[in-house]
Amino acid sequence: MKDKIKIGLEIHVPLNTRTKLFCNCKNSEEGKPNQNVCEICLGMPGAKPRLNKEAFDKSVILALALNCKINEKIIFSRKTYFYPDLPKNFQITQYENPVGISGFLGIKNKKITITRLQLEEDPGRLQHKADYSLVDYNRSGVPLVEIVTSPDFENSEQVIEFIQKMISILDYLNIYNRHAGFRVDVNISVGGGNRVEIKNISGTKPIQKAINFEIIRQKIKLKKGEKVEQQTMHFDNETGKTFLSRKKETEEDYGYIYEPDLSQIELDKKEIERLKKRIPELPFQRLERLINEYSLTESEAHVIILEKSTADLFESLSKEIDKNILKNWIAVTLRKVLNYNNLKLSETKITKEKVKELISLQESKKITPRVAELVLREMVSNDDSIEKIISRLGLSKMENRDVENLVTSVLKENKLAVEDYRNGKEKALQFLVGQVVMKTKGRANAIKVKEEILEKLKKIN
Amino acid sequence: MSLEILREAEEINQGYGTFVTLIGTLQKGTPIVVKDNICTQGIKTTAGSKILSTYIPTFDATVIKKLKEKGFFVLGKTTQDAFGFGSFSTNSAYGIPKNPVDKTRVCGGSSGGTASFISLSKNVNYGLGQSTGGSITCPSAFCGVVGLTPTYGLVSRYGLIDYANSFDRIGPITKTVKQAAELLTIISGIDEKDQTTYDKSEDYTKYLGKGIKGMKACYIKETFSEGVEREVRDSVLSAITELKKKGLQVEEISFADLKEMVPIYYIIAMAEASTNLAKFCGMRYGLESSPENKYYSDYFKELRMEFGEEEKRRILVGTFIRMEGYRDAYYTRALKLKNQVTNQFKKIFKMYDLIIMPSMPIVPPKFEDVKKMSPAQNYMTDFLTIPAALTGLPSISVPVRKKGLPVGIQIVADHFNEGKLITVGDAYER
Ligand SMILES: [Zn+2]
């Protein structure tokens, strides 16, 4: 009890709507600074907000997917504070009547309570220079959903599990602009002490690092008999440390009032049912089903369902390709290529038909697994035929004679290694094999190359 | 357009200070003068405040767009109390407009410049005013012109520089009820850019020239008693007698806590105003100063010192009202009371078509007397216009005195019943 850790989250999720929350500007940070702006998102005198229906619907869909109760009256509020990135010096957000309340999301052996889910506008972006700052309002007015949890987490692993699950749900609902990235505020208290808030961390690794650092910091303080003060901190990803923020944000009074330019919204049951129908099978539901239906292990299924599009690919090809080959191919090879590019399958030019062709080429031993992976990498951004890609990259299967020639030249170029091998250094042989495989761009089988080298060395002898 | 219009406008402006900006070039179409808190593309729009002395909007307010489509052109932008904060147009950073009947007296506020000019001009019949707590009715009554405040949500506020968004309304200030009906027909209607608008627009000229026989009105006893000057009371009561002669049924009712509405209104208005004025900080538009070697918060503070006295007062009071610990006692409670009051009026309109009262409790005061008033006394002069302001009800002010200082009769109808106001106002004029 003395060391009980309580962690709560506020997750800010940018939505992938076509336009901003209160105006018709493009919801995109691409292009020049201050390009996607208008009188509304710049807060010019006389301009008024108008609610983007798409953003509102998406926030309700997310609330429903997270088991929230939808408020009978949904109202926007003004949160007033002065900051150069905030054009009106108030943010249109929600206070008393957010979109959703009292939801939950389960993680391993635990149910995390979601106290509220609200829709709000993002401020602009500041860029600090040596003795001045620049403001880019392209982000001003971008729709954000803020998800607030109870302090139900006990360690950073649970937090990361929750966030990964959340990202996966957002992907399935197709509402999240993952290029903009989510931002998280974490509050932590140890042993029933004061709550410390760490603001604005993005990325799962920094979140984990920040939490672990802060827990240790507070534990050390408590051990020394010192009091942990209620304060707002920031996390420096470079040093891996939390530090005190300049402003005492916990003491600010935002003077909330209702936003009088937007009328309150009362959703009827029919409308809620209509939005519910837009929720597809969610990742955790699909996980269960894939394990049962395809007898996958939990970890295999987990990788496959991570993204809706890879799960879709698996299910649609499973009728045509051997399940065991397919699951490895999707869970290992494809996952590796996607992670390497930091892309979702749906964001690449990889199609179901091509994946099918590639796997069958590999299965009929026309190409090596290594070549298959190289081709797949190429397919990410290129819609040439597989045949074309193979010939363009010079990856067509090598003739034995080509391998022989390469071995000869590698042995010539690496006389020192040959010498070492003859003197009993096994590692030198591995090096020589590696050199040859590299020159074939992975087209040659390493075992065959090794045999060829040994053969050659005997001959030279 | 004839040069005569320009020449006359310049002359009136010289004598009465009615314009912040007077467009000095010849334009085609029907001239209209516009309160300076309504955005006009390419024409400086100051809302009467020094802080916006350099603001040139990049867009037209929806009402301006509609008027231009109907062949109107903006002759000038008129003087007003800064951001509409005042009842006498004396809180202006661009000269104080004078009463057309007596230059030593105020012309009322906050749409003072428009009302004074429409009263004085022989060539221009159409003006746009804007009301939050009575800023169309008050100057119309003081200047002897017609002012129509439409139901909240009938006319788009897009492009209006906000005072209190829950109450702000744009409406016609004209010489006759007919002209007000024409103008309202053009500017009303639902607007996708203002989500508080309704699809309730009509051709209001069809309500002209109709009889008032069978229409039922009431007047509130308390609006003719304490705090209402005798000459106002007498003029309005004799106007009621005339209306009766034309067939209007009139009964007396009592509404005891009329004056209680003043604080309810001011609490909500100031809370909203203090957030609306937050954006003025010397960035992006309007007044600027050198940011050299200043942290942003110091720069903001320094620039915001340029607000006028009344602007500062309302920012301070409005911010206080919103703070934790006071918010529930003032802001939240006022919102509840606002709904209660609205329901009380809705009940009256179940029995009557119209409520009649004086537009203002006083005749236009002298500048020197206004100077002596405390802010609280000042706010209390709005007690007859605030009921309709607080509840979003439509009202019309029609001049009832041909000689002496102007007095107006105020007629209030149920939401979206502008037609009745036009019928009665027009019948009175005939
Ligand atoms: Zn915009």
Side-chain angles (χ1 to χ4, degrees):
Chain A
M1 194 61 214
K2 220 184 81 200
D3 271 355
K4 188 164 168 65
I5 295 165
K6 282 178 152 188
I7 306 169
L9 303 178
E10 283 175 29
I11 308 176
H12 297 89
V13 180
L15 299 181
N16 63 351
T17 52
R18 198 178 54 80
T19 55
K20 292 184 181 181
L21 186 52
F22 298 119
C23 63
N24 276 337
C25 289
K26 235 168 71 185
N27 174 12
S28 162
E29 285 195 71
E30 280 166 25
K32 288 186 203 139
N34 298 309
Q35 191 177 38
N36 301 324
V37 294
C38 70
E39 70 228 30
I40 298 169
C41 55
L42 285 177
M44 300 295 256
K48 314 246 180 292
R50 51 176 180 275
L51 182 62
N52 177 342
K53 181 82 169 44
E54 184 196 358
F56 178 74
D57 284 355
K58 284 182 169 171
S59 73
V60 176
I61 287 170
L62 180 57
L64 290 168
L66 296 175
N67 311 294
C68 287
K69 211 183 120 215
I70 303 300
N71 250 322
E72 271 167 39
K73 281 181 189 166
I74 298 166
I75 308 180
F76 287 91
S77 291
R78 291 180 173 181
K79 174 182 179 177
T80 308
Y81 64 94
F82 288 80
Y83 211 63
D85 64 5
L86 192 64
K88 304 182 290 292
N89 285 327
F90 64 75
Q91 181 195 25
I92 303 180
T93 175
Q94 294 181 321
Y95 188 54
E96 281 112 329
N97 303 60
V99 170
I101 48 166
S102 319
F104 65 88
L105 180 61
I107 54 171
K108 247 174 259 145
N109 313 320
K110 211 173 164 74
K111 209 173 181 184
I112 303 298
T113 301
I114 290 160
T115 41
R116 56 190 281 130
L117 183 149
Q118 70 192 34
L119 182 59
E120 62 187 27
E121 59 177 340
D122 213 349
R125 195 189 283 282
L126 287 176
Q127 216 185 86
H128 298 294
K129 303 284 182 184
D131 57 350
Y132 63 96
S133 297
L134 297 171
V135 202
D136 176 7
Y137 293 105
N138 280 348
R139 198 177 71 183
S140 170
V142 161
L144 280 186
V145 165
E146 183 179 323
I147 303 156
V148 183
T149 77
S150 293
D152 292 343
F153 302 95
E154 292 150 320
N155 53 53
S156 63
E157 288 75 28
Q158 290 177 351
V159 170
I160 299 308
E161 190 193 338
F162 180 86
I163 288 176
Q164 274 165 353
K165 205 161 180 187
M166 184 70 76
I167 293 173
S168 175
I169 291 172
L170 293 168
D171 172 60
Y172 272 57
L173 297 173
N174 186 28
I175 60 174
Y176 167 46
N177 176 3
R178 59 182 215 96
H179 297 292
F182 60 88
R183 312 194 292 275
V184 177
D185 298 343
V186 186
N187 54 72
I188 303 173
S189 73
V190 178
N194 273 325
R195 221 175 62 137
V196 172
E197 187 171 34
I198 314 167
K199 282 240 173 224
N200 225 355
I201 329 170
S202 41
T204 43
K205 282 216 179 86
I207 291 167
Q208 185 156 26
K209 275 204 271 179
I211 293 173
N212 290 342
F213 178 87
E214 184 56 26
I215 289 172
I216 292 168
R217 192 188 70 89
Q218 292 191 26
K219 276 188 175 169
I220 291 172
K221 271 206 146 191
L222 292 173
K223 225 175 213 168
K224 284 192 203 156
E226 290 171 29
K227 218 182 123 197
V228 174
E229 271 180 84
Q230 182 178 338
Q231 54 196 193
T232 304
M233 318 271 288
H234 286 277
F235 179 66
D236 184 345
N237 202 21
E238 306 266 295
T239 63
K241 291 177 178 174
T242 55
F243 62 94
L244 204 59
S245 103
R246 189 165 18 174
K247 277 199 302 179
K248 286 201 169 175
E249 288 171 63
T250 43
E251 287 170 20
E252 259 187 71
D253 188 336
Y254 296 114
Y256 287 94
I257 64 164
Y258 295 116
E259 171 51 66
D261 281 334
L262 297 167
S263 29
Q264 65 177 41
I265 304 160
E266 288 171 49
L267 285 184
D268 58 18
K269 279 198 184 116
K270 248 170 124 186
E271 180 70 2
I272 291 176
E273 283 310 311
R274 191 184 67 79
L275 292 172
K276 246 186 202 159
K277 285 207 184 96
R278 282 174 57 184
I279 301 176
E281 182 186 33
L282 290 174
F284 42 91
Q285 295 161 333
R286 199 164 195 176
L287 182 83
E288 293 289 310
R289 190 168 61 77
L290 289 196
I291 291 172
N292 293 331
E293 230 170 89
Y294 299 88
S295 42
L296 301 176
T297 66
E298 189 175 335
S299 67
E300 286 165 350
H302 190 81
V303 180
I304 290 172
I305 61 104
L306 210 59
E307 216 179 86
K308 185 170 179 294
S309 43
T310 54
D312 289 345
L313 181 72
F314 175 80
E315 291 210 70
S316 73
L317 281 180
S318 65
K319 293 172 201 98
E320 304 167 50
I321 294 174
D322 179 72
K323 200 179 60 198
N324 286 313
I325 296 162
L326 182 65
K327 76 179 182 195
N328 281 326
W329 215 86
I330 290 178
V332 182
T333 314
L334 178 62
R335 182 79 285 174
K336 196 163 110 192
V337 170
L338 292 175
N339 284 353
Y340 177 80
N341 286 288
N342 187 26
L343 286 173
K344 295 206 307 190
L345 180 58
S346 52
E347 292 164 344
T348 70
K349 294 191 167 166
I350 300 171
T351 63
K352 177 187 146 191
E353 284 67 32
K354 280 193 183 167
V355 169
K356 193 176 141 191
E357 188 186 341
L358 199 56
I359 294 177
S360 74
L361 281 172
Q362 183 190 323
E363 281 315 295
S364 60
K365 305 254 188 306
K366 291 202 175 91
I367 55 173
T368 62
R370 173 72 188 148
V371 167
E373 190 182 320
L374 290 175
V375 172
L376 187 65
R377 276 195 203 170
E378 203 60 20
M379 276 159 57
V380 166
S381 58
N382 196 310
D383 41 24
D384 282 350
S385 70
I386 291 178
E387 204 183 332
K388 221 172 178 181
I389 292 174
I390 290 178
S391 82
R392 179 158 46 81
L393 297 181
L395 291 177
S396 41
K397 208 175 175 209
M398 293 198 81
E399 300 296 327
N400 280 343
R401 178 171 298 191
D402 296 336
V403 177
E404 274 178 52
N405 290 341
L406 272 176
V407 167
T408 312
S409 74
V410 164
L411 292 183
K412 252 187 213 163
E413 286 160 20
N414 297 281
K415 292 219 166 94
L416 218 64
V418 172
E419 200 65 24
D420 281 351
Y421 174 69
R422 288 192 200 283
N423 291 333
K425 282 190 182 165
E426 268 305 308
K427 269 194 180 162
L429 180 60
Q430 286 310 318
F431 170 76
L432 290 168
V433 172
Q435 290 294 305
V436 175
V437 171
M438 203 175 78
K439 286 200 172 181
T440 69
K441 295 178 185 161
R443 282 173 298 169
N445 183 305
I447 296 165
K448 276 205 180 136
V449 170
K450 193 173 168 184
E451 280 168 9
E452 187 63 41
I453 292 176
L454 289 172
E455 195 69 18
K456 270 266 149 66
L457 287 174
K458 258 188 225 157
K459 274 187 198 162
I460 299 169
N461 227 353
Chain B
M1 179 182 101
S2 71
L3 266 170
E4 164 58 17
I5 298 178
L6 273 185
R7 201 196 47 75
E8 185 207 45
E10 255 156 42
E11 211 174 270
I12 293 173
N13 193 31
Q14 295 278 324
Y16 295 86
T18 49
F19 291 103
V20 179
T21 307
L22 186 54
I23 311 296
T25 49
L26 293 173
Q27 299 172 77
K28 268 191 194 136
T30 316
I32 186 163
V33 295
V34 176
K35 189 172 179 177
D36 206 28
N37 57 359
I38 297 170
C39 286
T40 40
Q41 188 178 351
I43 304 173
K44 192 174 74 174
T45 300
T46 69
S49 174
K50 186 182 170 191
I51 214 119
L52 280 178
S53 51
T54 58
Y55 177 50
I56 298 172
T58 54
F59 61 102
D60 271 331
T62 297
V63 289
I64 299 296
K65 224 184 199 170
K66 288 184 165 193
L67 285 165
K68 281 182 177 174
E69 279 162 17
K70 294 284 177 191
F72 282 80
F73 71 89
V74 176
L75 175 66
K77 303 295 293 290
T78 57
T79 38
Q80 62 166 100
D81 290 296
F83 295 105
F85 298 165
S87 308
F88 306 116
S89 292
T90 48
N91 302 324
S92 160
Y94 302 92
I96 296 165
K98 298 181 179 73
N99 193 288
V101 176
D102 178 351
K103 277 189 181 182
T104 67
R105 292 175 187 268
V106 302
C107 62
S110 62
S111 314
T114 296
S116 178
F117 181 79
I118 291 297
S119 167
L120 289 160
S121 173
K122 289 186 180 68
N123 303 310
V124 182
N125 300 322
Y126 302 97
L128 280 187
Q130 172 274 333
S131 167
T132 307
S135 290
I136 290 175
T137 300
C138 166
S140 299
F142 281 181
C143 297
V145 291
V146 173
L148 199 162
T149 310
T151 308
Y152 183 82
L154 182 66
V155 176
S156 169
R157 289 180 295 115
Y158 194 82
L160 172 68
I161 298 178
D162 307 311
Y163 164 2
N165 319 50
S166 294
F167 305 130
D168 292 347
R169 295 183 248 175
I170 295 173
I173 293 178
T174 54
K175 289 200 183 71
T176 66
V177 174
K178 179 172 174 280
Q179 290 155 354
E182 287 164 3
L183 204 47
L184 185 63
T185 304
I186 296 169
I187 62 173
S188 56
I190 193 162
D191 181 12
E192 57 149 26
K193 289 179 169 180
D194 175 359
Q195 296 198 327
T196 61
T197 53
Y198 293 82
D199 189 14
K200 291 277 192 184
S201 176
E202 296 177 66
D203 176 5
Y204 296 98
T205 56
K206 73 180 184 206
Y207 294 100
L208 296 163
K210 284 183 150 189
I212 54 171
K213 262 201 188 94
M215 283 179 96
K216 237 177 136 183
C218 65
Y219 69 89
I220 298 171
K221 195 173 64 183
E222 288 78 8
T223 63
F224 289 89
S225 56
E226 194 201 338
V228 181
E229 284 179 357
R230 196 193 176 103
E231 51 179 321
V232 170
R233 201 188 323 163
D234 292 348
S235 312
V236 177
L237 284 174
S238 72
I240 291 176
T241 310
E242 266 181 70
L243 283 168
K244 276 184 181 164
K245 274 186 209 152
K246 295 186 180 194
L248 188 71
Q249 288 181 49
V250 185
E251 288 170 17
E252 184 189 274
I253 63 161
S254 176
F255 201 120
D257 27 337
L258 212 59
K259 283 184 182 163
E260 305 289 313
M261 292 182 210
V262 176
I264 301 172
Y265 161 80
Y266 270 105
I267 283 168
I268 300 170
M270 288 193 189
E272 290 184 3
S274 67
T275 63
N276 286 324
L277 265 57
K279 65 171 71 158
F280 305 110
C281 60
M283 268 183 88
R284 299 172 286 263
Y285 47 78
L287 206 62
E288 282 175 24
S289 79
S290 162
E292 212 72 32
N293 296 321
K294 285 169 207 155
Y295 195 56
Y296 79 89
S297 49
D298 298 322
Y299 173 77
F300 286 1
K301 256 180 228 161
E302 190 186 289
L303 199 114
R304 288 167 67 79
M305 288 307 289
E306 299 295 330
F307 276 127
E309 192 78 3
E310 191 59 28
E311 287 144 276
K312 285 178 193 155
R313 177 178 295 114
R314 296 197 190 196
I315 289 170
L316 287 174
V317 176
T319 305
F320 171 79
I321 287 165
R322 294 184 283 121
M323 292 295 108
E324 235 165 276
Y326 302 98
R327 188 173 178 270
D328 288 346
Y330 293 106
Y331 175 69
T332 315
R333 191 155 156 249
L335 287 180
K336 263 188 210 132
L337 291 169
K338 177 193 170 205
N339 288 338
Q340 278 178 25
V341 170
T342 309
N343 289 336
Q344 269 175 290
F345 274 101
K346 286 299 231 187
K347 264 186 210 154
I348 296 177
F349 286 117
K350 280 198 176 127
M351 290 181 287
Y352 301 99
D353 298 304
L354 307 161
I355 302 173
I356 299 176
M357 51 185 134
S359 298
M360 290 300 286
I362 51 176
V363 293
K366 288 190 181 270
F367 286 108
E368 58 200 66
D369 293 331
V370 166
K371 268 189 200 139
K372 289 178 209 148
M373 288 171 132
S374 72
Q377 284 172 321
N378 207 317
Y379 301 158
M380 271 323 277
T381 58
D382 295 342
F383 92 94
L384 293 174
T385 52
I386 277 175
L390 186 64
T391 51
L393 293 166
S395 68
I396 194 167
S397 177
V398 181
V400 291
R401 231 189 189 186
K402 296 280 172 287
K403 281 196 179 108
L405 291 170
V407 168
I409 185 172
Q410 182 186 194
I411 307 161
V412 182
D414 200 358
H415 294 122
F416 302 108
N417 277 274
E418 280 77 2
K420 288 180 183 171
L421 299 179
I422 286 158
T423 299
V424 174
D426 178 60
Y428 177 78
E429 273 180 351
R430 281 165 197 259

